[in-house]
Amino acid sequence: MQTRNLFPGLLAFAAIGMFAGAAAAFDANSLNAETAPTDALEFGLDSYRSGDKEGALEALSFAADKGNAIAQWKLGRMYAEGDGTARDDYKAFEIFSEMADAHADDNPTQRDSRFVSNAFVALGGYYEEGIPDTNVKQDLRRARQIYGYAASYFGDAEAQLKLAWMYYQGEGGDRDPLQAARWAKLAADKGDAEAQALLGHLLFEGDGVPRQAVLGLMYLTIARDQAEATDRWIFDMQERAVSVATENERRTAMALAGDWLDKQ
């Protein structure tokens, strides 16, 4: 049912555009101890956008070593995806770990917090899956803890969805549909289609929560409307619910879903 991906649905990369200004006034060969991390970051992002990923990697590494959170995040993503360099999940894990250790207590409302919370989500993904041939072994309990921190402290929708799935499936601890519904609701209210589908399923079936067929079908219908074509499980889940709902339940749920979508 759940789609596994260490970095699904990320919006953070689009956000770094606000930090990249005009082309930096120096090149990678000019990086030295006097270079400000923000200047190196700007140069790295400009280089990346222009297709010079080698220059981007050098400049971002410089800024990351100076503790710049955005540079650390982007550098970690490049290693995780093999983007402009050989893929190296363990290197990405180390970068995200350093970033999380340094910024775990940052104010969650500040501009860099989305990158910090996403680093936690990435770390949770690595512990959820493990990294072959390294000392990072699958540790579902640790993954649940990391997702829980990002979900609660940073209010990260991605982490809230991941945590909801783990509670729903009983991964990393006891199965707890009530907690699954709680975390799915938080992500669903942020517009996440997977979270809406999971919440709708729990409510419609009354799985560990009081059954609310109309509300459940409403969330399933909203999720279907926003789902990607590849999210076949969402379509199937909504269609099954429609097939067993009463006519009154269907009519009321569809009306509520329409009202919700009209307000978006």
Side-chain angles (χ1 to χ4, degrees):
M1 184 182 297
Q2 183 188 8
T3 301
R4 295 290 191 184
N5 190 329
L6 291 182
F7 303 104
L10 295 180
L11 298 177
F13 179 59
I16 66 177
M18 71 181 71
F19 303 110
F26 57 86
D27 60 28
N29 294 325
S30 301
L31 297 172
N32 57 58
E34 303 302 318
T35 304
T38 53
D39 288 338
L41 169 67
E42 188 172 310
F43 177 80
L45 295 179
D46 286 338
S47 297
Y48 183 89
R49 292 174 184 277
S50 68
D52 178 14
K53 294 186 178 180
E54 183 177 350
L57 197 70
E58 183 175 352
L60 291 171
S61 296
F62 179 92
D65 288 343
K66 297 281 189 178
N68 185 282
I70 300 172
Q72 290 172 326
W73 176 83
K74 182 56 182 169
L75 189 64
R77 288 295 308 278
M78 291 178 74
Y79 279 110
E81 297 171 3
D83 183 9
T85 185
R87 177 171 174 171
D88 189 335
D89 285 312
Y90 189 73
K91 179 68 172 176
F93 173 85
E94 290 182 316
I95 294 170
F96 290 132
S97 295
E98 181 179 345
M99 184 179 176
D101 288 342
H103 299 282
D105 298 324
D106 284 3
N107 186 331
T109 65
Q110 69 183 39
R111 71 173 194 173
D112 293 353
S113 66
R114 74 190 74 186
F115 303 100
V116 177
S117 66
N118 189 253
F120 275 97
V121 173
L123 288 172
Y126 281 128
Y127 279 113
E128 192 173 0
E129 303 291 343
I131 303 176
D133 302 319
T134 72
N135 60 0
V136 182
K137 307 303 181 185
Q138 185 184 58
D139 186 340
L140 296 178
R141 187 173 298 278
R142 180 65 175 147
R144 186 190 277 199
Q145 292 171 342
I146 292 172
Y147 288 145
Y149 185 79
S152 56
Y153 185 76
F154 289 102
D156 188 286
E158 177 88 15
Q160 290 166 348
L161 172 63
K162 295 281 193 179
L163 192 59
W165 277 118
M166 295 196 82
Y167 276 116
Y168 175 74
Q169 295 169 334
E171 296 178 332
D174 294 338
R175 185 173 189 269
D176 190 336
L178 189 61
Q179 284 295 324
R182 174 198 171 196
W183 291 108
K185 175 69 163 56
L186 290 171
D189 288 347
K190 294 182 175 77
D192 188 285
E194 282 194 38
Q196 291 161 348
L198 176 58
L199 177 62
H201 174 72
L202 287 164
L203 292 173
F204 188 83
E205 298 295 333
D207 182 0
V209 299
R211 186 171 190 266
Q212 300 182 64
V214 170
L215 194 59
L217 185 53
M218 179 200 80
Y219 274 112
L220 283 166
T221 302
I222 291 169
R224 176 183 175 130
D225 184 83
Q226 302 185 110
E228 301 291 337
T230 53
D231 294 327
R232 188 65 240 174
W233 66 272
I234 294 179
F235 292 86
D236 292 343
M237 191 180 285
Q238 193 266 355
E239 289 167 6
R240 284 196 298 270
V242 167
S243 70
V244 300
T246 67
E247 178 62 27
N248 184 60
E249 288 170 343
R250 287 195 295 270
R251 189 173 300 154
T252 305
M254 298 303 169
L256 290 173
D259 289 344
W260 192 95
L261 292 166
D262 286 343
K263 293 176 182 176
Q264 301 309 300

